[in-house]
Amino acid sequence: MPAMSMNDAADEATPEAVRALATPAEAVTPLIRGIAVLRELTEADGTLSLSALERATGLARSTVDRVTATLARMDYVRVDGRDVHLAPRLMELGNAYLAALRLPALLSARADALADELDESVSLAVADRDGIRFIHQATRRRAMSLSFRIGDLLPAERTAPGPLFATQWTDTDWRRWRDRRASDPRDLSFTAVPPRKYGADERDDEAFVSRTEEAAANGWALDDQLIEPGLVAVSVPVRSPHTGGRRKIACVASVVSHTSRRTAHDLRTTLLPRLRSAVTEMERELHRTPPPEPGPPPSDLALWTGASKQRLGRDFIESLARGLTVLTAFGEDRPELTLTEVARATGLARATARRALITYEHLGLVTTPSPRTFTLTPRVLSLGFPPLSRTSLPEIARPHLADLTSRIHESTSMAVLSDPGEEIQYTAGVATGRVMSVNITVGTRLPAYATALGRVLLADPHRDHGRPGDEETPSRTLASIHSQGYALVDEELEEGLRSLAVPIRDRSGRVVAALNTAMHASRRTLRECVTDLLPELTSTAARIESDLHTAGRFTHVSLT
């Protein structure tokens, strides 16, 4: 019989015993503090002042300063004056969980196709103790948009997936749920949903028990405006492949709508059959896709922390950085790892890796499916993923543009190609403080062929070159721009204006945007633009691409 995990022990214990188990002796205190800072930033929608973080976490200001300095060194947060912002790089923690889970990679395309077919939002959710957490969203673009963010946590009793997951709860799970209901009757701990106006009572509890019994009998469940007025949903469980005994629920697929379009009754009678059919296909996908063969594990993920400690001194908390690196050791072909494998992947001593894993189990971020292995839990998504899952490319790029402008002392901009490709649209920009500078307003459109930005975008070989606009720029010019990796336009759009641009590519290698700097021709020669400015633009584009690739691994990143 496997040893009882720390979380199981806490669930079985009396309140007095739980307080005694509050923090394991071997837990890494700086890691606990760092997680607390990340969770407070997440609940505050991604931004808090240093003073607000001090109040929210109860930590000393000096500790908050050191934690945020360490997180900033890891590119997990950005410190702007007195404010701290979550940064896209932090999403690599949630990506590690989603990759290890494999469900988004296997099922998201079918969820997207169902949303297109039904013209309604479709979501996938997993259980997180007595709540549910979203792992995929396929939304409809409407004035009344219905969707939650990937990683958002909702109370089980106020959702359609909740009763389905509750059909597999143990007595311990039900007891934990009732304890939570008693301690938080208004659902104030669930920041993704509106709080209850007057709190819950025994009738609400009885109603959820009844809904769970109905879900067990029917194989589906409804949410008829339980979260908030107007929102309705129908859900069906996606069960994991048969491994002996009762098949477990891997996730739950839901169709979500608004009462202005469909009632809960309409969802059940009209859309439920199609949802069930889609779920059958999802289950077949899980059955025919074997687990990946374990690949070569990464190594020395935490090697860089020593150099950071030397550079930043006492402001860098090495134990926090090393501990966070442990989470990134997990992945698609590494869903379960032993202590030895974690130590090998991170380059940490076994004792150091063990203390980090003990800390994560205490915080509910790691669990032990067997006595010798560890795996990530959905709670990893609480570390910044929800607010960052809605980030856009301009939001990703702006800090990098500001940094570039401060280095080269010239205005910088980013643009995308409009459909059908005749114009570019400026989506982000940072102006320099010079008396004479280029300052083009975000949203401005210009002919693509006349700009360096446009020519870089038109030169993308992944693009259909039969569109209008290409005729204005000779194909030989576009081929040259693609080959050299930049475009330099000298006084073609406007006399005295010189512009240099480089591409920004998505995870597939497609050019989705372009980055440029523009200046008066008197400030730099054409040669100086290439020798002095091109390396700066190229390195900035690489940093933007790195953030874009991290943010876009399991979420849709808007280009505008």
Side-chain angles (χ1 to χ4, degrees):
M1 180 177 177
M4 183 178 292
S5 73
M6 192 178 306
N7 287 331
D8 289 338
D11 290 339
E12 296 290 346
T14 63
E16 292 75 15
V18 169
R19 282 192 288 273
L21 291 169
T23 304
E26 293 182 276
V28 183
T29 301
L31 186 53
I32 293 175
R33 291 169 175 168
I35 296 297
V37 166
L38 290 176
R39 281 180 168 166
E40 291 297 339
L41 284 167
T42 303
E43 292 186 5
D45 213 28
T47 300
L48 276 178
S49 68
L50 289 165
S51 298
L53 271 175
E54 180 183 359
R55 292 191 298 270
T57 60
L59 299 174
R61 177 57 181 269
S62 60
T63 301
V64 170
D65 289 343
R66 293 182 65 213
V67 167
T68 53
T70 303
L71 295 173
R73 174 63 178 161
M74 300 182 74
D75 292 327
Y76 283 178
V77 304
R78 177 171 53 86
V79 181
D80 183 10
R82 297 178 180 274
D83 292 330
V84 183
H85 309 270
L86 295 178
R89 177 71 179 275
L90 179 62
M91 295 178 74
E92 72 177 8
L93 304 182
N95 285 346
Y97 164 73
L98 294 172
L101 183 67
R102 297 180 67 225
L103 294 177
L106 293 176
L107 306 182
S108 60
R110 295 192 180 277
D112 295 345
L114 181 62
D116 289 339
E117 176 188 339
L118 302 181
D119 196 26
E120 297 287 357
S121 295
V122 173
S123 67
L124 300 176
V126 294
D128 188 348
R129 291 203 168 191
D130 60 345
I132 71 158
R133 208 177 281 272
F134 293 101
I135 59 169
H136 182 72
Q137 291 279 354
T139 61
R140 303 294 86 195
R141 289 193 172 184
R142 292 192 175 99
M144 181 68 71
S145 179
L146 294 175
S147 70
F148 290 93
R149 304 169 302 183
I150 295 177
D152 272 338
L153 178 68
L154 277 65
E157 68 276 6
R158 292 178 64 181
T159 68
L164 294 165
F165 287 121
T167 61
Q168 299 188 338
W169 282 2
T170 64
D171 290 343
T172 299
D173 295 325
W174 281 105
R175 185 163 58 251
R176 179 172 52 220
W177 172 73
R178 289 190 172 89
D179 289 343
R180 188 262 295 168
R181 295 274 286 163
S183 63
D184 183 20
R186 296 189 58 206
D187 294 336
L188 297 177
S189 59
F190 296 89
T191 56
V193 297
R196 294 177 182 270
K197 204 167 189 179
Y198 303 108
D201 57 31
E202 290 185 4
R203 289 173 297 179
D204 295 319
D205 291 356
E206 293 169 359
F208 180 59
V209 172
S210 296
R211 290 177 62 220
T212 300
E213 292 171 350
E214 292 173 1
N218 298 331
W220 51 268
L222 281 175
D223 166 10
D224 191 357
Q225 308 181 74
L226 293 171
I227 293 176
E228 61 178 75
L231 190 150
V232 290
V234 61
S235 297
V236 173
V238 181
R239 297 187 182 276
S240 58
H242 184 72
T243 55
R246 186 180 179 186
R247 290 170 60 200
K248 292 184 178 180
I249 298 175
C251 67
V252 168
S254 304
V255 177
V256 186
S257 188
H258 190 268
T259 51
S260 61
R261 294 192 301 277
R262 299 180 188 271
T263 64
H265 177 75
D266 292 335
L267 289 180
R268 180 174 63 80
T269 57
T270 306
L271 301 188
L272 177 58
R274 184 63 193 94
L275 174 59
R276 277 180 150 166
S277 176
V279 164
T280 299
E281 290 301 315
M282 290 180 184
E283 291 178 341
R284 287 174 181 163
E285 188 71 38
L286 296 182
H287 277 266
R288 62 174 166 251
T289 307
E293 291 295 325
S299 61
D300 294 329
L301 290 172
L303 190 63
W304 65 275
T305 60
S308 297
K309 182 66 175 177
Q310 290 183 345
R311 178 178 174 182
L312 297 182
R314 70 176 305 276
D315 287 337
F316 184 78
I317 308 175
E318 192 169 9
S319 58
L320 168 58
R322 286 179 167 181
L324 288 171
T325 303
V326 165
L327 296 178
T328 64
F330 296 83
E332 181 180 3
D333 53 356
R334 305 180 306 279
E336 294 184 19
L337 296 175
T338 64
L339 173 58
T340 299
E341 289 169 336
V342 171
R344 184 184 304 126
T346 57
L348 300 176
R350 278 174 55 91
T352 304
R354 178 175 175 274
R355 290 189 64 201
L357 291 167
I358 287 173
T359 306
Y360 285 135
E361 188 177 8
H362 167 66
L363 297 173
L365 298 168
V366 161
T367 190
T368 51
S370 74
R372 297 185 64 244
T373 62
F374 300 86
T375 189
L376 302 180
T377 74
R379 198 161 298 187
V380 174
L381 294 174
S382 69
L383 305 181
F385 212 89
L388 291 171
S389 69
R390 295 281 179 86
T391 194
S392 66
L393 181 54
E395 290 171 328
I396 290 173
R398 280 186 200 108
H400 297 290
L401 294 182
D403 183 55
L404 175 61
T405 295
S406 70
R407 294 199 311 272
I408 66 176
H409 307 291
E410 300 289 357
S411 298
T412 58
S413 300
M414 187 176 70
V416 298
L417 199 63
S418 64
D419 192 24
E422 297 175 316
E423 296 180 321
I424 60 166
Q425 179 182 348
Y426 284 80
T427 57
V430 176
T432 185
R434 292 179 182 269
V435 173
M436 184 172 60
S437 64
V438 179
N439 187 8
I440 301 178
T441 306
V442 170
T444 298
R445 291 174 178 259
L446 292 175
Y449 69 90
T451 65
L453 288 162
R455 292 183 185 182
V456 163
L457 290 161
L458 291 170
D460 179 23
H462 293 84
R463 200 181 149 270
D464 177 9
H465 288 288
R467 293 179 176 179
D470 297 347
E471 300 171 356
E472 305 286 350
T473 306
S475 58
R476 184 180 303 173
T477 301
L478 295 179
S480 175
I481 289 170
H482 169 65
S483 175
Q484 67 191 16
Y486 69 90
L488 180 57
V489 172
D490 186 29
E491 301 188 75
E492 294 184 35
L493 181 64
E494 183 177 316
E495 186 175 348
L497 179 64
R498 187 167 286 164
S499 179
L500 176 68
V502 297
I504 296 172
R505 295 178 172 87
D506 64 10
R507 291 178 60 87
S508 69
R510 184 172 62 98
V511 176
V512 294
L515 164 69
N516 92 321
T517 183
M519 72 222 74
H520 193 271
S522 63
R523 287 213 285 271
R524 281 183 172 87
T525 66
L526 292 174
R527 180 178 178 80
E528 287 171 338
C529 285
V530 175
T531 59
D532 299 347
L533 298 182
L534 181 59
E536 295 284 359
L537 263 69
T538 302
S539 63
T540 299
R543 286 191 287 272
I544 294 173
E545 287 178 347
S546 178
D547 283 351
L548 174 61
H549 298 171
T550 300
R553 185 173 180 185
F554 292 105
T555 66
H556 170 71
V557 178
S558 172
L559 300 181
T560 57

